[in-house]
């Protein structure tokens, strides 16, 4: 079966191939242990959606959508990948996770101390790459995303203790935790081709809307049966309040709300309690509400995208947006 991402990548196939070579080179080091770990990280790369957003947005915002891209686009994509990978390595240490995308995590193979140092190294490589070429505008964009990622994680931890997350707080969390990264990809893409500040901001807002839709889709997987790389109900087990559950609780009676929150707080080792929460959300219309909200963000993203001139890259970006909310994992 053909990979839908292959056709989406078509307008930037050459850039993606070139990026892979350059990214591998950026990960090389003379320290044998570090080089071995860097090679492991490169081999287990995911779908590379982030570089795709950078290059497609760069082409969409460029004066000549069919012309060669500035080297800054490749450095921007590498900067985002390096800093994002650093946050994932550190996340796995914090979460005591032994797996990442079906592979052993760095901390599982090389223990926590080495994993933390590897994350620090990736962070420094990203900073070095930007500073060597005076890419201060790109660094500002990505630095904002990394700051927001950290703030979003801490806000979620704080709220998880009390389970008092409102829709407004939930949207703040996912805007910082997920949408900020995709927003940095699209902003970097526009900035790398010399777009105006107004255009860069428009591209950033476009990416933020896509990121919001992307995260809501991810939250919906918690209530389904698709093979998505994480068990169904894992968010509930981890006491994460996502949109379907927040909406369902808003519609519930005081007694039902108290019962469901008790099950969320005390679900450790009780699979039936997790299933009761899932059933409650489904009966309360939580899934339908989340789908409607996701589609609203998708439509808002498309409206912003259509303000850019028509091109093959813009068409591919539209397909990439639809892919993010129609994916099965």
């Amino acid at each position: 079966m053909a990979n839908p991402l292959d056709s989406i990548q078509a307008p930037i196939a050459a850039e993606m191939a070139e990026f892979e070579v350059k990214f591998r080179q950026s990960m090389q080091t003379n320290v044998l242990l570090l080089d071995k770990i860097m090679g492991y990280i490169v081999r287990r790369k995911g779908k590379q959606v982030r570089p795709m957003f950078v290059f497609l947005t760069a082409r969409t915002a460029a004066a000549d959508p069919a012309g060669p891209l500035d080297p800054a686009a490749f450095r921007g994509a590498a900067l985002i990948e390096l800093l994002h990978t650093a946050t994932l390595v550190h996340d796995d240490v914090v979460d005591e996770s032994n797996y990442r995308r079906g592979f052993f995590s760095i901390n599982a193979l090389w223990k926590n101390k080495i994993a933390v140092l590897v994350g620090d190294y990736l962070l420094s490589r990203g900073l070095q790459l930007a500073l060597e070429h005076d890419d201060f505008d790109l660094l500002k964009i990505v630095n904002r995303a990394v700051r927001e990622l950290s703030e979003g994680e801490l806000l979620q931890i704080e709220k998880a203790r009390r389970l008092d997350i409102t829709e407004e707080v939930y949207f703040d969390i996912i805007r910082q935790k997920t949408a900020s990264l995709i927003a940095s990809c699209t902003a970097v893409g526009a900035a790398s081709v010399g777009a105006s500040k107004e255009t860069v901001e428009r591209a950033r807002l476009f990416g933020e809307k896509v990121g919001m839709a992307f995260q809501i889709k991810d939250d919906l997987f918690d209530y389904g049966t698709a093979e998505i790389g994480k068990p169904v109900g894992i968010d509930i087990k981890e006491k994460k309040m996502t949109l379907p559950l927040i909406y369902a609780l808003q519609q519930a009676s005081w007694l039902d709300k108290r019962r469901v929150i008790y099950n969320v707080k005390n679900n450790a080792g009780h699979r039936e309690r997790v299933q009761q929460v899932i059933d409650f959300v489904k009966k309360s219309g939580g899934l339908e509400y989340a789908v409607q909200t996701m589609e609203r963000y998708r439509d808002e993203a498309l409206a912003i995208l259509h303000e850019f001139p028509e091109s093959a890259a813009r068409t591919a970006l539209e397909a990439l947006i639809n892919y993010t909310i129609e994916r099965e994992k």
Side-chain angles (χ1 to χ4, degrees), residues 250-305:
Q250 288 173 346
Q251 315 309 309
S253 66
W254 178 84
L255 194 61
D256 282 344
K257 186 181 294 187
R258 185 178 176 184
R259 174 180 57 81
V260 171
I261 289 177
Y262 176 85
N263 283 340
V264 173
K265 281 184 175 179
N266 302 280
N267 69 65
H270 297 278
R271 190 176 300 174
E272 68 278 4
R273 289 182 182 173
V274 173
Q275 189 58 51
Q276 284 174 19
V277 175
I278 291 173
D279 292 342
F280 163 76
V281 170
K282 288 181 176 179
K283 289 175 184 174
S284 303
L287 301 189
E288 290 83 357
Y289 179 76
V291 168
Q292 289 171 7
T293 307
M294 175 185 70
E295 290 175 344
R296 188 186 79 232
Y297 277 113
R298 186 268 318 271
D299 293 343
E300 290 173 358
L302 288 173
I304 297 172
L305 179 61

Side-chain angles (χ1 to χ4, degrees), residues 120-179:
D120 292 346
Y121 174 77
L122 289 165
L123 181 64
S124 68
R125 280 296 291 128
L127 296 174
Q128 181 185 5
L129 180 66
L131 294 173
E132 280 177 348
H133 297 89
D134 294 336
D135 292 325
F136 297 113
D137 53 342
L138 305 186
L139 190 55
K140 282 180 183 177
I141 292 168
V142 180
N143 178 67
R144 172 180 172 177
V146 174
R147 187 198 77 229
E148 290 190 334
L149 279 166
S150 302
E151 290 175 349
E153 284 283 1
L154 288 166
L155 178 60
Q156 185 171 57
I157 291 170
E158 174 195 337
K159 294 298 182 180
R161 291 172 179 170
R162 299 196 299 269
L163 297 182
D164 62 348
I165 292 181
T166 61
E167 275 192 41
E168 184 180 6
V169 172
Y170 165 80
F171 289 131
D172 274 345
I173 290 172
I174 69 169
R175 180 184 57 77
Q176 291 179 307
K177 276 190 61 180
T178 303

